[in-house]
Amino acid sequence: MSTNTNNETMQTVTRRVDAAVIGSGFAGLSAAYEAAKLGKRVSLIDKMPNPGGNSVMNAGQIAAVGSPNQEKAGIKDSVELMKKDMLDAGVSLNHPNLLEKMISQSWDTVNWTMTEFGIQYRDRLTQMGGHSVPRTLSTLNHSGRDIIDPMLSKIQYMRNNEENGQDEVVGIKVSHNGVTQDVMCDNGVIIASGGFSADIPFRKIQVPTFGEKVMSTNQPGATAEVIKESLKISALPVQLSHIQLGPWTSPDENGFGLAPYSLLITLCNHTDGIIIDHDTSKRFVNELGNRYERSMAILKMGHPVVCMTDSEGAKHSLEKDLIKLEPTLKAHNSIDEVAEEYGMDPIVLQETIDKYNASVARGKDEDFGKLLREDAAPLVKFPFYSVRLWPKVHHCMGGLHINSDAQVMHVDGYPIKGLFAAGEVTGGVHGGDRLGSCATLDCIAFGRIAGKNVATFNKKHEGDLHNVAT
């Protein structure tokens, strides 16, 4: 809902709540729930016709240290190890205070989704690229809706709610269908409006090469209006030019698509598969490297590449009919069929697969250093499955600067009174590049922090509204 400046046709309504939350994804719903649970009147606002934002397109995966799943599997993990993994991926540009707070609360965050909303996760942990050990839990359907829908249901059931001085936020101005609402907030405003991957003009300013020709995985509402309005009231931006490409997307479909969603574990995270350059018929990258490494390696090829697994590896994917993914997903009954489909040399391709299978047998990938699980299997059982890959803009690591209490910071270094933020709209947690399954953790952990803190921020605000367009 964007601000409408046509005062002649605009009706203005004023209402008062304790807190307003902008955005209804993982971060926004977590914040709204925690504030409402503490008895606050919360107005939950989203510009899109359906709630959930990018979170409904999420693969339902969340990283956590110290889960019972890790204990059962005998996986040794620690806050320090996950912190090291994220710092390595983020080239040490991550803000340590935010990183420490999020990771130390990772299992508590997952457990909260289970106890408060009844979210169920699979027993088998996923080995995501850039993570030293398997620590990613996946919902039963590998879908963000597994989390969003129960959250929405419980928040709607709770419905005891309604939807200054200088350097204070006293409320927001929301316009929709000819009506402007001045939502006055006694406690504060939480920004959880997400990133700007779909905002081509804004992201092109940050990274000029990410223009019109670079596709995005995000829903069309992933734009920068709220960030820009926050900058007008002297909110401090951080690392806006750090924009992530998803290396597991297919050029043969629009947006996020079905291929990375339905085959995220096997083909596109490559735990049980390999990536091949069709020009050479050889591997060229660590399939479990972080997203930046894989994206840059693919872009360096100058053309889409091919990832593949066999029928055994496909069993670790979603329990869905793989045929539904045609024509993005290809099935092959022989090496010759794979080679013919992509113009590869069948002899070299067979040598590449044999060499990879030998690495699996040894338990060590001497070519690219891919981490091979103890249960890794060779690629031998037909049919093989394949998908073409080409990176798309996926996540914005930069955004508004917050402190560890989720307060938005002023350009002069102090918290803006009454203004909080959580999720992808913020920056600093992931540094230069984000590891898979850490965004869900980021959104829910800091959403909860923002919701609790806005609820205890008890000052009554007076003054002019800051116009936050959504």
Side-chain angles (χ1 to χ4, degrees):
M1 289 173 274
S2 59
T3 301
N4 188 326
T5 57
N6 187 349
N7 294 323
E8 294 181 355
T9 61
M10 188 68 63
Q11 175 187 355
T12 301
V13 176
T14 301
R15 62 192 178 104
R16 184 173 291 277
V17 296
D18 294 314
V21 179
I22 305 171
S24 61
F26 291 143
L29 294 181
S30 298
Y33 180 81
E34 290 287 36
K37 192 175 179 182
L38 291 172
K40 299 303 175 181
R41 298 163 299 146
V42 181
S43 180
L44 184 61
I45 299 163
D46 199 299
K47 70 179 178 183
M48 301 304 287
N50 297 309
N54 280 328
S55 297
V56 298
M57 303 163 59
N58 176 280
Q61 296 182 305
I62 182 169
V65 171
S67 68
N69 310 61
Q70 285 188 322
E71 183 178 356
K72 184 178 179 180
I75 297 169
K76 294 182 179 180
D77 199 4
S78 66
V79 169
E80 287 304 313
L81 182 58
M82 183 171 172
K83 189 175 179 180
K84 180 181 182 302
D85 290 344
M86 293 188 69
L87 285 168
D88 286 346
V91 291
S92 297
L93 295 174
N94 323 60
H95 290 208
N97 62 323
L98 302 180
L99 202 57
E100 182 78 27
K101 189 142 193 177
M102 182 188 76
I103 297 173
S104 64
Q105 296 182 9
S106 59
W107 170 243
D108 286 342
T109 299
V110 175
N111 192 50
W112 178 77
T113 68
M114 298 167 68
T115 56
E116 293 291 326
F117 305 103
I119 311 301
Q120 298 182 59
Y121 297 92
R122 295 183 173 211
D123 292 334
R124 190 177 192 268
L125 293 168
T126 300
Q127 175 73 57
M128 301 289 281
H131 291 266
S132 295
V133 297
R135 60 168 67 100
T136 297
L137 295 100
S138 304
T139 61
L140 295 184
N141 295 305
H142 281 280
S143 172
R145 283 201 174 277
D146 289 345
I147 301 173
I148 288 292
D149 288 347
M151 280 185 165
L152 282 169
S153 295
K154 195 156 186 181
I155 288 173
Q156 289 169 355
Y157 176 77
M158 291 172 71
R159 262 173 117 128
N160 58 319
N161 314 316
E162 300 179 359
E163 286 179 37
N164 132 354
Q166 189 176 7
D167 299 333
E168 277 186 34
V169 168
V170 299
I172 59 175
K173 187 184 292 290
V174 180
S175 301
H176 182 58
N177 289 342
V179 177
T180 292
Q181 290 191 34
D182 290 347
V183 184
M184 308 299 293
C185 303
D186 290 339
N187 290 59
V189 172
I190 299 173
I191 299 174
S193 52
F196 52 88
S197 289
D199 194 327
I200 294 174
F202 191 78
R203 81 181 192 209
K204 191 175 178 181
I205 291 171
Q206 317 308 323
V207 183
T209 55
F210 289 178
E212 292 79 1
K213 294 183 180 180
V214 181
M215 298 174 69
S216 169
T217 65
N218 285 204
Q219 51 92 17
T223 48
E225 299 98 329
V226 179
I227 290 178
K228 290 188 286 188
E229 293 299 325
S230 300
L231 299 183
K232 292 178 183 178
I233 61 170
S234 300
L236 178 62
V238 60
Q239 301 170 345
L240 289 176
S241 62
H242 293 167
I243 301 173
Q244 182 183 75
L245 297 172
W248 23 249
T249 50
S250 174
D252 300 322
E253 54 188 355
N254 294 322
F256 195 87
L258 290 173
Y261 175 77
S262 294
L263 295 173
L264 196 59
I265 295 178
T266 56
L267 297 185
C268 300
N269 272 335
H270 318 299
T271 304
D272 303 290
I274 55 177
I275 312 178
I276 303 288
D277 173 20
H278 61 67
D279 278 1
T280 64
S281 306
K282 295 180 180 181
R283 295 173 66 210
F284 61 93
V285 69
N286 175 359
E287 291 88 354
L288 286 177
N290 65 49
R291 292 176 175 182
Y292 178 81
E293 293 168 346
R294 285 178 283 162
S295 294
M296 293 302 104
I298 295 171
L299 291 175
K300 187 176 181 180
M301 295 296 105
H303 52 253
V305 297
V306 179
C307 65
M308 68 178 72
T309 190
D310 68 352
S311 57
E312 188 66 25
K315 290 180 181 179
H316 294 152
S317 182
L318 282 182
E319 293 149 10
K320 290 184 176 180
D321 185 355
L322 297 180
I323 297 175
K324 291 179 180 178
L325 293 180
E326 294 286 1
T328 302
L329 180 72
K330 306 293 184 182
H332 318 275
N333 292 313
S334 68
I335 294 298
D336 286 342
E337 285 189 13
V338 179
E340 182 178 357
E341 178 69 36
Y342 297 109
M344 298 183 188
D345 184 322
I347 296 175
V348 177
L349 178 59
Q350 184 64 66
E351 291 173 351
T352 297
I353 294 172
D354 290 344
K355 190 174 184 180
Y356 174 76
N357 289 343
S359 296
V360 172
R362 289 192 305 268
K364 184 177 181 180
D365 176 17
E366 295 179 350
D367 290 329
F368 299 101
K370 176 182 177 179
L371 180 64
L372 298 169
R373 294 175 63 138
E374 291 183 4
D375 61 352
L379 304 178
V380 294
K381 295 185 178 181
F382 291 97
F384 278 24
Y385 296 97
S386 68
V387 170
R388 291 205 314 155
L389 298 181
W390 186 252
K392 300 177 185 179
V393 173
H394 180 60
H395 185 91
C396 300
M397 278 77 68
L400 302 177
H401 180 37
I402 59 170
N403 62 18
S404 57
D405 291 324
Q407 293 175 292
V408 176
M409 301 301 291
H410 189 277
V411 290
D412 289 332
Y414 54 84
I416 297 176
K417 293 179 181 179
L419 187 60
F420 301 81
E424 194 180 346
V425 74
T426 68
V429 173
H430 305 286
D433 193 37
R434 176 177 70 81
L435 290 182
S437 71
C438 290
T440 307
L441 174 61
D442 175 17
C443 290
I444 297 177
F446 279 104
R448 294 185 66 200
I449 291 168
K452 290 178 179 179
N453 286 339
V454 78
T456 56
F457 192 79
N458 288 321
K459 180 180 177 182
K460 299 288 185 181
H461 297 289
E462 301 294 341
D464 295 331
L465 287 176
H466 292 296
N467 294 319
V468 179
T470 59

